[in-house]
Amino acid sequence: MRRWALLIVLILLVNNWSAAETVKFSWVKIRRHKDEYSRLLVDKDGDLKFDDVSRKLTFSSEAGDDVTIAYEDVTKVVFERTRRMRGGAVAYLSLPGAIAAAQHVTDYWFYIEYKSGDHNEPVLFEIPKGSSEKVIAKARDRVRVIIPDFEEKGEEVDPNTLPDLKSKHTFIADKEHHPLQEVKADKATVVVVCPALETRFTARGNQFKLHANDNVVAVNRAGTYSFAYLDPGKYKLVSQSENANGFEMQLEAGKEYYFLQNTFQGALKWDTGLSRNSPELVMYELNGAYYSRWKQK
């Protein structure tokens, strides 16, 4: 009898020891401000660890990043996928071989909010595709994970069908002021960010216009953001650059809607793809972008 009791205790100890382990995920990127003086966002490679013994999540990189988050301090986790271009600086240039170098990739974003003193602190990681399911599973064992699944999916649109296609716009990236959108009871608030994949190209390159039915309602360049206030109703929202990409959706008064104008290498200019995203991901990118002050000529 004692032997059986001892065996059961040993089995329980082994199971607890197996559950309380440290799991490391390599080639994870942290997306954070370039430095304490710059709001622009950069990506740095490092290791993400779940340490069940100390009940902490940590991230470290050779660039000096050192993030430690206690499990009990996590207040929100959002896991989201987007599609964009990757390929470094050459992917931004219309040079021979640039199109071959640029890749259309799906990014697996791991957004975390956690308590830090008297406020919540956000952090954003990009998880390799091969590790994404394991990271979700580890996170789900500890907190509730939000995985947005919007019905709206960007589809190619013939630019010549856009009534405001030939409109011209002036553009200034405001590097001093950083206004935020408002919620208006009688309007739908649209927030759109065009993330910059390389800080050196922020506010440079071609314009990315957001059409809402017959009119351009926002204009960005890489690394900038805009917002618009629209009457409630059904809209065809289209991001237009060299190409055009978008979808139809219903907008309601008093609500906010969040979008990314993702960039891809085109023949002469950067192409665009419109995606509807979570407020957490879009606002994180907005916090690392410049405000677009644009006007129709």
Side-chain angles (χ1 to χ4, degrees):
M1 187 67 181
R2 289 181 179 178
R3 289 181 179 178
W4 280 107
L6 181 59
L7 181 60
I8 291 172
V9 170
L10 288 174
I11 292 174
L12 290 174
L13 288 174
V14 169
N15 286 339
N16 288 335
W17 177 80
S18 298
E21 59 181 352
T22 299
V23 179
K24 182 177 77 171
F25 299 95
S26 299
W27 303 108
V28 172
K29 295 180 184 294
I30 188 171
R31 187 152 173 81
R32 46 90 164 162
H33 295 296
K34 185 177 180 180
D35 53 52
E36 59 181 313
Y37 306 105
S38 174
R39 72 166 54 256
L40 300 182
L41 298 174
V42 296
D43 300 330
K44 297 297 180 181
D45 290 315
D47 294 327
L48 182 70
K49 296 180 182 179
F50 288 85
D51 187 341
D52 292 343
V53 177
S54 64
R55 295 187 55 78
K56 292 179 180 178
L57 180 146
T58 63
F59 177 86
S60 59
S61 74
E62 292 184 359
D65 298 284
D66 186 8
V67 178
T68 300
I69 305 171
Y71 290 170
E72 58 266 27
D73 288 339
V74 175
T75 58
K76 182 184 292 186
V77 172
V78 181
F79 193 88
E80 192 163 358
R81 287 180 289 185
T82 64
R83 192 161 178 80
R84 66 170 181 173
M85 177 181 71
R86 184 181 299 154
V90 71
Y92 272 92
L93 304 174
S94 296
L95 297 173
I99 295 178
Q103 303 175 39
H104 290 204
V105 299
T106 299
D107 287 324
Y108 295 77
W109 296 112
F110 184 40
Y111 172 92
I112 302 174
E113 280 185 19
Y114 61 97
K115 291 182 290 185
S116 178
D118 59 354
H119 67 284
N120 281 356
E121 189 75 23
V123 63
L124 183 64
F125 300 107
E126 181 189 351
I127 308 298
K129 181 179 179 180
S131 303
S132 60
E133 291 186 4
K134 294 178 181 178
V135 171
I136 292 175
K138 290 293 291 184
R140 274 180 164 165
D141 285 344
R142 287 140 192 86
V143 295
R144 186 174 75 91
V145 177
I146 301 170
I147 305 179
D149 185 21
F150 297 110
E151 295 181 2
E152 297 80 14
K153 308 296 180 185
E155 297 181 351
E156 289 301 300
V157 175
D158 182 355
N160 295 310
T161 64
L162 302 174
D164 214 8
L165 174 65
K166 296 184 178 180
S167 61
K168 304 295 183 182
H169 307 88
T170 61
F171 170 92
I172 296 176
D174 190 338
K175 300 180 181 181
E176 296 183 7
H177 306 94
H178 200 257
L180 298 178
Q181 72 278 9
E182 302 175 19
V183 177
K184 299 188 177 183
D186 60 337
K187 300 286 185 180
T189 300
V190 170
V191 182
V192 58
V193 182
C194 182
L197 307 186
E198 294 280 341
T199 57
R200 74 189 76 177
F201 298 111
T202 295
R204 297 175 60 188
N206 53 283
Q207 294 180 352
F208 297 86
K209 305 173 185 178
L210 181 67
H211 297 252
N213 289 343
D214 296 339
N215 301 299
V216 170
V217 297
V219 177
N220 283 316
R221 280 183 173 150
T224 71
Y225 70 96
S226 303
F227 42 79
Y229 303 101
L230 306 179
D231 292 329
K234 188 173 183 179
Y235 284 89
K236 185 173 185 178
L237 299 175
V238 178
S239 180
Q240 177 245 321
S241 174
E242 186 175 32
N243 70 320
N245 182 281
F247 40 74
E248 291 186 348
M249 66 178 297
Q250 189 77 24
L251 302 183
E252 299 181 26
K255 291 190 176 181
E256 295 176 282
Y257 300 88
Y258 298 85
F259 305 94
L260 292 178
Q261 291 174 301
N262 302 290
T263 57
F264 304 94
Q265 177 66 36
L268 298 174
K269 299 179 180 179
W270 304 339
D271 280 350
T272 181
L274 187 68
S275 61
R276 184 180 178 188
N277 298 94
S278 69
E280 290 83 7
L281 178 58
V282 174
M283 291 303 294
Y284 194 97
E285 288 289 340
L286 185 150
N287 193 41
Y290 295 137
Y291 180 58
S292 169
R293 295 197 180 275
W294 63 276
K295 280 185 182 179
Q296 185 163 337
K297 292 182 179 179

